[in-house]
Amino acid sequence: MHSEISHPDKETFLTTLNLIIQQSNTQIIQSTHLIITYGSAWVYRNKASKKIVANCHKVPQSQFDKEILSAEIIEKSIKNTINLIEKVNPTCNFLFTVSPVRHIKDGFVENQRSKAHLITAIHNSQHITLNTNYFPSYEIMMDELRDYRFYAEDMLHPSKTAIDYIWERFVETHIDETSYPIMEEVASIQKGLTHKPFNPNSKTHQHFLENLNHKIECLQKKIPSINFYK
């Protein structure tokens, strides 16, 4: 579990966890499409429990063994994921992809091994259901955006230019053109929600907020399922 939701009070922590489980369950049941992105085949196994952990929570590395999952193990996990979701949402569509972020801390060769295991497992799982597809975000980054100008300062993460390019490729291949106008409206509203005013109390900013709320209300009348988090 991610450290962002940790809390010193046990009851508060459990309440938060249960709420997240409920929300996740609702989203899985109601979703028409699920995008699943895998980042690395490398995992850490706790020496005492012999179990693979999701987060080390700053526990000394000496308490863990690092290992790489085989393509066969990952493929079995993917099959289990699809089967479990289809039990509660049989018409759900799955889109798999591999993160273009390179895990160089594992090593250059180790990173390539890891990505290869993930890609192999995903492609071997495509026959499980007709509702599966693959988007080559990692391949686009490695083959089409090979120049280092497409990387952020850490030389590992894609730059904004690369992110925009991959997003455009995704839109072209997986989103119907009739949805483009709605996407533009959503993008405009999201940009407005992240705007940080120089003077929040000014009449200009208050007028800006009124227009923004009006845009949100109009869009939600057309598509009630859309929610914006301010």
Side-chain angles (χ1 to χ4, degrees):
M1 188 59 64
H2 200 279
S3 56
E4 284 186 359
I5 64 171
S6 63
H7 198 281
D9 181 69
K10 180 180 178 181
E11 294 304 319
T12 301
F13 177 63
L14 288 175
T15 300
T16 302
L17 285 182
N18 288 327
L19 179 60
I20 291 174
I21 291 173
Q22 292 173 7
Q23 292 173 338
S24 299
N25 185 57
T26 301
Q27 289 176 340
I28 288 173
I29 293 173
Q30 296 179 349
S31 294
T32 59
H33 294 74
L34 281 178
I35 300 175
I36 301 177
T37 302
Y38 294 104
S40 175
W42 288 99
V43 297
Y44 288 87
R45 188 181 298 274
N46 183 270
K47 291 181 179 180
S49 67
K50 304 299 181 182
K51 293 182 178 179
I52 294 174
V53 300
N55 192 311
C56 297
H57 291 290
K58 298 182 179 180
V59 175
Q61 190 170 346
S62 59
Q63 297 186 27
F64 303 92
D65 286 322
K66 183 179 179 181
E67 62 184 74
I68 189 169
L69 298 178
S70 67
E72 291 75 19
I73 292 295
I74 299 170
E75 181 182 345
K76 183 178 180 180
S77 178
I78 293 173
K79 289 180 180 178
N80 289 339
T81 299
I82 293 175
N83 290 335
L84 286 171
I85 293 175
E86 285 191 329
K87 285 182 179 180
V88 295
N89 188 348
T91 61
C92 184
N93 293 276
F94 299 89
L95 179 61
F96 291 94
T97 187
V98 173
S99 170
V101 178
R102 295 178 299 162
H103 292 248
I104 298 303
K105 288 184 178 180
D106 293 326
F108 285 96
V109 175
E110 289 77 7
N111 172 71
Q112 290 296 80
R113 287 180 62 200
S114 169
K115 300 294 187 181
H117 285 203
L118 294 173
I119 293 169
T120 300
I122 291 173
H123 285 286
N124 286 346
S125 305
Q126 294 294 293
H127 67 279
I128 298 174
T129 172
L130 296 176
N131 299 331
T132 61
N133 209 332
Y134 180 74
F135 177 70
S137 56
Y138 179 73
E139 291 82 350
I140 291 172
M141 191 71 200
M142 293 296 104
D143 297 328
E144 295 188 47
L145 307 177
R146 288 178 290 183
D147 194 290
Y148 274 103
R149 65 193 172 95
F150 293 113
Y151 286 88
E153 291 182 0
D154 63 4
M155 294 299 178
L156 301 177
H157 290 78
S159 66
K160 185 180 184 305
T161 301
I163 293 172
D164 291 342
Y165 181 84
I166 294 173
W167 171 245
E168 288 174 6
R169 292 289 304 276
F170 179 84
V171 170
E172 291 171 358
T173 55
H174 290 285
I175 299 180
D176 193 284
E177 291 184 6
T178 57
S179 300
Y180 290 0
I182 296 296
M183 290 171 59
E184 291 178 2
E185 287 186 57
V186 171
S188 175
I189 292 172
Q190 292 283 28
K191 185 177 180 180
L193 291 173
T194 59
H195 174 68
K196 295 182 180 180
F198 180 76
N199 185 357
N201 298 319
S202 66
K203 290 184 178 180
T204 302
H205 182 63
Q206 295 305 312
H207 181 65
F208 169 81
L209 291 178
E210 290 176 4
N211 286 336
L212 184 62
N213 287 328
H214 178 68
K215 288 182 180 179
I216 293 175
E217 290 174 1
C218 290
L219 183 57
Q220 288 179 329
K221 285 181 180 179
K222 291 189 288 186
I223 309 177
S225 60
I226 289 182
N227 289 309
F228 293 93
Y229 298 95
K230 302 179 182 178

